[in-house]
Amino acid sequence: MSITLIRDARVLTQDAAGTEYACASILVDGQRIAALGPGVDHPAPDRVIDARGMLAMPGLINGHFHSPGNLMCGALTDMPLELFMLFEVPPGGEGRVDARLAYVQTLLGALEMLKGGVTAVHDDPYHNPAPEPEVVSAIMRAYADAGLRATVSINHPNRAEPDKYPYLAGLLPPATIAAMRATRLWSAAEITDLYRWFHATWHGAADGRLRVAVSNSAPQRVSDDYFGALSDFSRSHDLPFDIHMLETRLQRVYGQEVLGRSLIQDVRARGFLDERMLVIHAIWVDQDDIDALGEAGCTVAHNPVCNLKIGSGVMPFRRLVRRGVPIALGTDERNTDDSVNLWGAMKMAGLIHKIAERDDRDWPSAAEVLGCATRGGARGMRLAGQIGELSVGAQADLILVDLDTLPFTPLNDLKRQLVFCETGASVRLTMVAGEVVVENGRVLTVDEAALKAEARELALEHADALAATTSAARTLEPHYRAMLERAARVDVGMERRAGPMFP
Ligand SMILES: [Zn+2]
């Protein structure tokens, strides 16, 4: 076990009491913080890091992410989710990814996160046409090699495409519906077997840095028994349960028209809503939904850049906070953000709610936004108290931010400048589980130049698969547009997007 002494930093602990120090030292023993405060010292540390002029704070936590989008930054036209997904997870299963590609693209995203001061990610990788153990393992190996902390699920829905949406079955040509219905759907037993293997193989790997989460993608995308099996697995192993709910207006319409109640009320009535759930997006929620989330103890993952990029709308931040719902902050995927820069997500979270809340006292403060990017993310990963804060006994997942940079000159208000001025460029050191992974802009775990070269090469090789995806998507697009048009005429009794502002 090596001992590192980080000496004389300004410290923002993000602990429950909000403790800050103008000058303090942090003693890291192995993976954990052994001591913290002014006057902390050690007679013979293995390494001393002089942190004068630096801010030590918890590493940021990317609270929601899909690594399979990692090669697609800037690749897709901005469109609403229901069209967008045709180009990224086409229902025909085009665009299969092999283990090497999965490894390289996961590593690429991990590097961008580590360099930007992200020390943990909650990844929900989707698998098209179906999950393969070698690909799942390649993703985990990438996180193990990168040195990033990761909680990872397997996102693989099992309902036929026309059943996931309102109206679609009546809009698609019969031959297309028949082809979609011919797709092999996984059974509850199959997904449970895969999760059993995944949990036994990877949960707690890399000295505990890697953990398993359960995902059902979204309630309307899975059958009842499948949902039940996934929920049981999450409960019996106490794992986070990733679920996208009410991201888009169309999903609100689905609940109203198909279920006769909102998706969240439906999940609650079926007994699945619980404190392990990471409810992703929660935009088109009403007060009853928010009350249900609060009562069940769910965490919500807020992805403001993604929500704006694909026009989903604005999550009711203040109403959720008022009901006591913890909020994690995520970038979502690298084709809907189009980065994995949590500083950008923080700034957007600090800005977007101003077009939604009339009363400025309801706007999120910089301190709240920082809380979402640290403690909130930890809560979503079921690691509260262990990461997302600097405290004795917590994991040594921390970053050093250079305060001698333009974003902090002059230093007027630390938290506001972290949220609104910093871009990640001032991060000088990233430590995960006591290991220095990035120092002075250089990643120590991976050969970045070789990785980028291979990523470019694999992206070229994968171009044909992407072209097949695009052409399949173009064929389906008019029918999905017709579905959106029809749903647009349904009154859902709420608005989550700014209306026309200009005459
Ligand atoms: Zn997502």
Side-chain angles (χ1 to χ4, degrees):
M1 286 294 197
S2 90
I3 292 178
T4 304
L5 182 65
I6 299 170
R7 186 169 272 163
D8 296 338
R10 178 169 177 156
V11 180
L12 181 65
T13 68
Q14 295 290 96
D15 67 7
T19 312
E20 294 184 44
Y21 299 102
C23 183
S25 296
I26 303 169
L27 185 68
V28 176
D29 186 352
Q31 295 187 9
R32 292 178 188 276
I33 295 172
L36 163 67
V40 161
D41 211 340
H42 190 276
D46 296 292
R47 182 174 176 196
V48 176
I49 296 170
D50 179 359
R52 280 174 298 178
M54 303 272 181
L55 170 74
M57 63 178 279
L60 303 180
I61 298 174
N62 192 353
H64 178 58
F65 184 59
H66 301 280
S67 55
N70 281 0
L71 291 188
M72 298 177 80
C73 49
L76 299 180
T77 310
D78 298 5
M79 296 178 171
L81 177 79
E82 291 79 12
L83 304 178
F84 191 89
M85 283 179 68
L86 293 175
F87 293 82
E88 84 176 340
V89 277
E94 295 84 358
R96 180 185 168 269
V97 164
D98 68 15
R100 185 66 199 173
L101 182 57
Y103 177 82
V104 167
Q105 67 183 10
T106 306
L107 203 49
L108 194 72
L111 247 61
E112 189 176 346
M113 284 188 263
L114 286 167
K115 291 182 84 169
V118 172
T119 50
V121 63
H122 196 150
D123 188 5
D124 183 38
Y126 46 80
H127 298 266
N128 205 24
E132 301 167 36
E134 317 81 73
V135 172
V136 171
S137 285
I139 293 169
M140 301 308 277
R141 261 203 328 278
Y143 286 128
D145 293 351
L148 182 63
R149 186 180 302 282
T151 291
V152 184
S153 65
I154 299 170
N155 174 336
H156 185 59
N158 85 327
R159 286 185 84 194
E161 182 74 2
D163 301 334
K164 296 175 187 165
Y165 296 103
Y167 319 128
L168 191 60
L171 294 167
L172 288 165
T176 307
I177 295 193
M180 285 173 167
R181 294 214 180 279
T183 305
R184 195 179 83 77
L185 301 175
W186 277 45
S187 68
E190 276 176 294
I191 196 74
T192 306
D193 280 350
L194 184 69
Y195 266 107
R196 259 194 219 113
W197 162 82
F198 186 36
H199 187 264
T201 310
W202 286 106
H203 192 63
D207 293 326
R209 251 197 306 116
L210 304 187
R211 294 170 63 85
V212 163
V214 177
S215 170
N216 90 336
S217 188
Q220 72 278 12
R221 299 178 194 148
V222 297
S223 64
D224 287 349
D225 61 336
Y226 205 77
F227 198 159
L230 291 167
S231 177
D232 284 349
F233 199 87
S234 155
R235 286 174 182 176
S236 59
H237 296 87
D238 193 20
L239 304 174
F241 192 63
D242 297 358
I243 183 165
H244 295 72
M245 287 208 274
L246 293 173
E247 175 175 4
T248 66
R249 190 179 187 283
L250 185 101
Q251 292 169 9
R252 185 91 211 163
V253 171
Y254 177 94
Q256 207 165 292
E257 300 278 281
V258 179
L259 304 172
R261 56 188 173 195
S262 91
L263 279 160
I264 287 175
Q265 294 302 338
D266 192 60
V267 169
R268 188 189 61 82
R270 290 152 74 192
F272 295 139
L273 210 61
D274 67 25
E275 77 278 8
R276 289 170 197 81
M277 275 196 170
L278 181 74
V279 175
I280 302 152
H281 303 302
I283 294 169
W284 292 84
V285 290
D286 62 15
Q287 192 57 48
D288 289 344
D289 296 328
I290 291 169
D291 288 343
L293 295 176
E295 196 179 307
C298 305
T299 303
V300 162
H302 182 30
N303 309 279
V305 177
C306 162
N307 297 159
L308 198 54
K309 161 102 178 169
I310 60 173
S312 303
V314 182
M315 185 194 81
F317 184 95
R318 183 58 58 208
R319 284 165 179 73
L320 287 160
V321 168
R322 216 171 262 144
R323 190 57 184 79
V325 177
I327 297 176
L329 190 68
T331 59
D332 214 316
E333 52 193 309
R334 204 160 174 254
N335 48 13
T336 59
D337 184 291
D338 292 287
S339 74
V340 281
N341 185 324
L342 214 60
W343 303 90
M346 284 202 290
K347 183 161 183 166
M348 185 61 78
L351 295 175
I352 189 72
H353 300 285
K354 287 154 189 170
I355 64 166
E357 297 286 3
R358 185 187 50 80
D359 188 334
D360 57 289
R361 290 165 295 187
D362 287 335
W363 297 347
S365 68
E368 285 181 299
V369 171
L370 276 171
C372 297
T374 52
R375 299 172 63 83
R379 174 67 158 67
M381 291 168 77
R382 298 192 67 66
L383 290 173
Q386 298 185 56
I387 61 171
E389 63 177 80
L390 303 184
S391 57
V392 173
Q395 289 285 320
D397 285 16
L398 59 85
I399 58 177
L400 294 181
V401 179
D402 189 352
L403 298 177
D404 184 26
T405 55
L406 292 172
F408 299 100
T409 306
L411 188 54
N412 295 307
D413 182 284
L414 180 65
K415 289 179 181 173
R416 276 201 284 269
Q417 283 170 273
L418 284 167
V419 170
F420 292 115
C421 308
E422 175 56 19
T423 61
S426 305
V427 174
R428 292 287 173 266
L429 182 140
T430 304
M431 175 183 273
V432 181
E435 295 285 337
V436 176
V437 185
V438 174
E439 195 162 8
N440 296 321
R442 209 167 68 82
V443 184
L444 306 179
T445 46
V446 175
D447 180 343
E448 183 178 345
L451 176 73
K452 286 190 291 195
E454 189 176 1
R456 287 184 198 106
E457 204 173 292
L458 291 178
L460 280 179
E461 284 172 22
H462 197 59
D464 287 350
L466 275 186
T469 300
T470 303
S471 104
R474 291 272 177 240
T475 313
L476 294 171
E477 189 184 327
H479 309 295
Y480 283 66
R481 280 197 185 276
M483 168 180 73
L484 289 170
E485 289 297 325
R486 188 159 163 196
R489 294 196 292 271
V490 177
D491 180 6
V492 296
M494 64 172 72
E495 192 47 86
R496 295 289 179 264
R497 292 173 298 208
M501 291 181 188
F502 308 107

